[in-house]
Amino acid sequence: WSPRRSPWMAIQRGIGNDLEISWKLSFRVGVAKSWSEFRKTRTKNRATPPARKFGYTLVEISISALIFILVGLMVGRTLTQLRTSTQPGLSDRLILQMDARKSADEITKIIRESGEIVRPFIGETSPYLVLKDVINNVCILYLDNDEETSKICNKKLFKLVFYVGNQSGSFKKEDQRILVRSVKRLTFTSVSPFSVSVNATLANLKGEFQFLTHIGIMNLEDLQ
Protein backbone atom coordinates (compact mmCIF):
# COMPACT_ATOMS: atom_id res chain seq x y z
CA TRP A 1 0.00 0.00 0.00
CA SER A 2 1.18 3.43 -0.81
CA PRO A 3 1.23 5.88 2.12
CA ARG A 4 -1.07 8.24 0.21
CA ARG A 5 -3.59 5.49 -0.54
CA SER A 6 -3.45 3.62 2.73
CA PRO A 7 -6.83 2.56 4.22
CA TRP A 8 -6.12 4.52 7.38
CA MET A 9 -5.83 7.76 5.51
CA ALA A 10 -9.01 6.99 3.63
CA ILE A 11 -10.82 6.39 6.88
CA GLN A 12 -9.47 9.64 8.36
CA ARG A 13 -10.49 11.58 5.30
CA GLY A 14 -14.01 10.10 5.39
CA ILE A 15 -14.44 10.88 9.08
CA GLY A 16 -13.26 14.49 8.52
CA ASN A 17 -15.68 15.01 5.68
CA ASP A 18 -18.54 13.65 7.76
CA LEU A 19 -17.67 15.95 10.67
CA GLU A 20 -17.46 18.96 8.38
CA ILE A 21 -20.84 18.16 6.85
CA SER A 22 -22.42 17.66 10.29
CA TRP A 23 -21.01 20.97 11.55
CA LYS A 24 -22.32 22.86 8.53
CA LEU A 25 -25.76 21.30 8.88
CA SER A 26 -25.87 22.12 12.62
CA PHE A 27 -24.83 25.72 11.95
CA ARG A 28 -27.48 26.16 9.25
CA VAL A 29 -30.20 24.64 11.42
CA GLY A 30 -29.24 26.89 14.33
CA VAL A 31 -29.26 30.02 12.15
CA ALA A 32 -32.65 29.05 10.68
CA LYS A 33 -34.16 28.57 14.17
CA SER A 34 -32.81 31.88 15.44
CA TRP A 35 -34.18 33.76 12.41
CA SER A 36 -37.58 32.09 12.74
CA GLU A 37 -37.82 33.04 16.44
CA PHE A 38 -36.74 36.62 15.67
CA ARG A 39 -39.44 37.00 13.01
CA LYS A 40 -42.11 35.58 15.33
CA THR A 41 -41.14 37.98 18.11
CA ARG A 42 -41.12 40.99 15.76
CA THR A 43 -44.52 40.09 14.26
CA LYS A 44 -46.00 39.67 17.72
CA ASN A 45 -44.73 43.06 18.83
CA ARG A 46 -46.22 44.74 15.76
CA ALA A 47 -49.61 43.04 16.11
CA THR A 48 -50.09 43.88 19.79
CA PRO A 49 -48.64 47.29 20.62
CA PRO A 50 -48.43 48.13 24.30
CA ALA A 51 -51.68 49.63 25.59
CA ARG A 52 -51.50 53.26 26.79
CA LYS A 53 -52.40 53.86 30.37
CA PHE A 54 -55.59 55.88 31.04
CA GLY A 55 -55.13 59.56 32.06
CA TYR A 56 -53.23 62.69 31.08
CA THR A 57 -49.78 63.84 31.86
CA LEU A 58 -49.00 66.99 33.81
CA VAL A 59 -47.73 68.72 30.66
CA GLU A 60 -50.99 68.02 28.79
CA ILE A 61 -53.09 69.35 31.69
CA SER A 62 -50.97 72.51 31.93
CA ILE A 63 -51.26 73.25 28.20
CA SER A 64 -55.05 72.72 28.26
CA ALA A 65 -55.45 75.05 31.24
CA LEU A 66 -53.37 77.73 29.54
CA ILE A 67 -55.48 77.52 26.38
CA PHE A 68 -58.73 77.85 28.37
CA ILE A 69 -57.37 80.87 30.25
CA LEU A 70 -56.35 82.62 27.02
CA VAL A 71 -59.74 81.97 25.41
CA GLY A 72 -61.55 83.27 28.50
CA LEU A 73 -59.47 86.45 28.55
CA MET A 74 -60.16 87.10 24.86
CA VAL A 75 -63.92 86.59 25.28
CA GLY A 76 -64.03 88.82 28.37
CA ARG A 77 -62.10 91.59 26.64
CA THR A 78 -64.42 91.45 23.62
CA LEU A 79 -67.55 91.66 25.78
CA THR A 80 -66.10 94.57 27.75
CA GLN A 81 -65.33 96.50 24.56
CA LEU A 82 -68.83 95.89 23.20
CA ARG A 83 -70.46 97.01 26.43
CA THR A 84 -68.25 100.11 26.63
CA SER A 85 -69.00 101.10 23.03
CA THR A 86 -72.78 100.63 23.30
CA GLN A 87 -73.40 101.86 26.84
CA PRO A 88 -73.01 105.63 26.17
CA GLY A 89 -75.45 105.51 23.26
CA LEU A 90 -78.00 103.53 25.25
CA SER A 91 -77.65 105.85 28.24
CA ASP A 92 -78.23 108.96 26.13
CA ARG A 93 -81.32 107.48 24.48
CA LEU A 94 -82.74 106.36 27.82
CA ILE A 95 -82.16 109.80 29.32
CA LEU A 96 -83.89 111.38 26.35
CA GLN A 97 -86.92 109.10 26.69
CA MET A 98 -87.10 109.71 30.42
CA ASP A 99 -87.03 113.49 29.86
CA ALA A 100 -89.76 113.18 27.24
CA ARG A 101 -91.95 111.14 29.59
CA LYS A 102 -91.32 113.60 32.41
CA SER A 103 -92.27 116.58 30.27
CA ALA A 104 -95.40 114.80 29.00
CA ASP A 105 -96.47 114.04 32.57
CA GLU A 106 -95.84 117.62 33.70
CA ILE A 107 -97.78 119.16 30.79
CA THR A 108 -100.65 116.72 31.26
CA LYS A 109 -100.92 117.52 34.96
CA ILE A 110 -100.92 121.28 34.39
CA ILE A 111 -103.54 121.22 31.63
CA ARG A 112 -105.88 118.78 33.36
CA GLU A 113 -105.84 120.81 36.59
CA SER A 114 -106.51 124.12 34.77
CA GLY A 115 -109.94 125.76 34.42
CA GLU A 116 -109.87 127.28 30.94
CA ILE A 117 -107.81 127.29 27.74
CA VAL A 118 -107.22 130.90 26.67
CA ARG A 119 -104.74 130.53 23.82
CA PRO A 120 -104.46 129.19 21.16
CA PHE A 121 -107.97 129.46 19.77
CA ILE A 122 -109.77 126.40 18.47
CA GLY A 123 -108.02 125.09 15.35
CA GLU A 124 -104.90 127.19 15.88
CA THR A 125 -101.36 125.98 16.61
CA SER A 126 -98.80 127.97 18.59
CA PRO A 127 -95.50 127.35 20.47
CA TYR A 128 -97.09 128.49 23.76
CA LEU A 129 -100.21 127.74 25.79
CA VAL A 130 -102.15 130.21 27.95
CA LEU A 131 -104.44 128.82 30.66
CA LYS A 132 -106.43 129.97 33.65
CA ASP A 133 -106.41 127.91 36.80
CA VAL A 134 -109.34 127.33 39.14
CA ILE A 135 -108.65 130.57 41.07
CA ASN A 136 -108.42 132.58 37.82
CA ASN A 137 -104.61 132.97 37.77
CA VAL A 138 -103.04 133.17 34.31
CA CYS A 139 -100.70 130.25 33.56
CA ILE A 140 -98.35 130.14 30.57
CA LEU A 141 -96.36 127.30 29.05
CA TYR A 142 -93.71 128.63 26.68
CA LEU A 143 -90.24 127.95 25.24
CA ASP A 144 -87.13 129.87 26.22
CA ASN A 145 -83.59 129.61 24.83
CA ASP A 146 -81.49 126.91 26.46
CA GLU A 147 -78.01 128.25 25.79
CA GLU A 148 -76.17 125.75 27.98
CA THR A 149 -77.67 122.66 26.34
CA SER A 150 -77.39 124.22 22.87
CA LYS A 151 -73.61 124.62 23.30
CA ILE A 152 -73.21 121.04 24.47
CA CYS A 153 -75.28 119.52 21.65
CA ASN A 154 -74.14 122.06 19.02
CA LYS A 155 -77.74 122.72 17.95
CA LYS A 156 -80.52 125.18 18.77
CA LEU A 157 -82.47 123.86 21.77
CA PHE A 158 -85.03 125.30 24.15
CA LYS A 159 -86.35 124.75 27.65
CA LEU A 160 -90.02 124.49 28.54
CA VAL A 161 -90.98 127.05 31.19
CA PHE A 162 -94.17 127.17 33.26
CA TYR A 163 -95.17 130.56 34.65
CA VAL A 164 -98.02 131.33 37.04
CA GLY A 165 -99.09 135.01 37.19
CA ASN A 166 -100.64 136.67 40.19
CA GLN A 167 -103.67 138.97 40.54
CA SER A 168 -101.52 142.10 40.54
CA GLY A 169 -100.18 141.40 37.06
CA SER A 170 -96.52 141.99 38.01
CA PHE A 171 -93.85 139.57 36.82
CA LYS A 172 -91.90 137.65 39.42
CA LYS A 173 -89.08 135.36 38.41
CA GLU A 174 -89.72 133.03 41.34
CA ASP A 175 -93.18 132.32 39.88
CA GLN A 176 -91.70 130.43 36.93
CA ARG A 177 -90.04 127.05 36.81
CA ILE A 178 -88.34 124.92 34.15
CA LEU A 179 -90.22 121.74 33.31
CA VAL A 180 -87.79 120.14 30.85
CA ARG A 181 -84.69 120.97 28.79
CA SER A 182 -83.36 119.86 25.39
CA VAL A 183 -86.58 120.73 23.57
CA LYS A 184 -86.15 121.09 19.82
CA ARG A 185 -89.80 121.71 18.86
CA LEU A 186 -93.02 122.12 20.82
CA THR A 187 -96.48 123.11 19.59
CA PHE A 188 -99.93 123.29 21.15
CA THR A 189 -103.03 122.81 18.98
CA SER A 190 -106.45 123.67 20.42
CA VAL A 191 -108.85 120.88 19.43
CA SER A 192 -111.87 121.98 21.44
CA PRO A 193 -112.66 124.53 24.18
CA PHE A 194 -111.59 121.96 26.75
CA SER A 195 -108.78 119.97 25.08
CA VAL A 196 -105.45 120.51 23.37
CA SER A 197 -102.92 118.37 21.45
CA VAL A 198 -99.23 118.60 22.35
CA ASN A 199 -96.52 117.73 19.83
CA ALA A 200 -92.97 117.86 21.20
CA THR A 201 -89.50 116.77 20.03
CA LEU A 202 -86.56 116.41 22.39
CA ALA A 203 -82.97 116.10 21.18
CA ASN A 204 -79.43 115.48 22.38
CA LEU A 205 -76.09 114.45 20.90
CA LYS A 206 -77.27 110.93 20.01
CA GLY A 207 -80.62 111.64 18.40
CA GLU A 208 -84.17 112.85 18.85
CA PHE A 209 -87.35 111.61 20.52
CA GLN A 210 -90.85 112.81 19.63
CA PHE A 211 -94.13 112.39 21.46
CA LEU A 212 -97.70 113.42 20.65
CA THR A 213 -100.48 113.48 23.22
CA HIS A 214 -104.04 114.74 23.52
CA ILE A 215 -105.01 116.29 26.87
CA GLY A 216 -108.38 117.49 28.15
CA ILE A 217 -109.31 119.72 31.06
CA MET A 218 -110.50 117.46 33.85
CA ASN A 219 -112.90 119.75 35.69
CA LEU A 220 -114.89 120.97 32.66
CA GLU A 221 -115.02 117.52 31.11
CA ASP A 222 -116.50 116.18 34.35
CA LEU A 223 -119.19 118.88 34.26
CA GLN A 224 -120.22 117.77 30.78
Side-chain angles (χ1 to χ4, degrees), residues 49-160:
R52 182 180 176 180
K53 294 182 179 180
F54 180 76
Y56 299 96
T57 63
L58 182 60
V59 176
E60 292 174 340
I61 295 175
S62 301
I63 293 174
S64 301
L66 181 61
I67 292 173
F68 279 116
I69 292 173
L70 292 176
V71 172
L73 290 175
M74 292 174 64
V75 172
R77 184 176 179 182
T78 302
L79 293 177
T80 302
Q81 291 177 351
L82 290 174
R83 184 170 55 185
T84 303
S85 61
T86 56
Q87 188 172 3
L90 291 175
S91 299
D92 292 337
R93 285 192 290 271
L94 288 175
I95 292 173
L96 192 62
Q97 292 180 11
M98 291 174 62
D99 290 342
R101 180 173 295 180
K102 177 183 176 182
S103 61
D105 292 341
E106 290 281 355
I107 295 171
T108 301
K109 180 180 178 182
I110 292 171
I111 295 175
R112 289 182 65 84
E113 292 178 355
S114 64
E116 181 184 354
I117 298 175
V118 180
R119 293 287 189 278
F121 294 116
I122 296 176
E124 292 183 349
T125 299
S126 66
Y128 61 88
L129 180 66
V130 181
L131 306 168
K132 282 188 177 181
D133 60 13
V134 293
I135 59 175
N136 211 30
N137 288 325
V138 176
C139 305
I140 305 174
L141 285 166
Y142 65 96
L143 295 177
D144 194 10
N145 290 329
D146 191 353
E147 297 180 357
E148 181 181 353
T149 310
S150 298
K151 290 179 180 179
I152 295 174
C153 298
N154 196 23
K155 62 180 71 175
K156 186 68 174 178
L157 297 176
F158 304 91
K159 53 188 176 183
L160 179 61

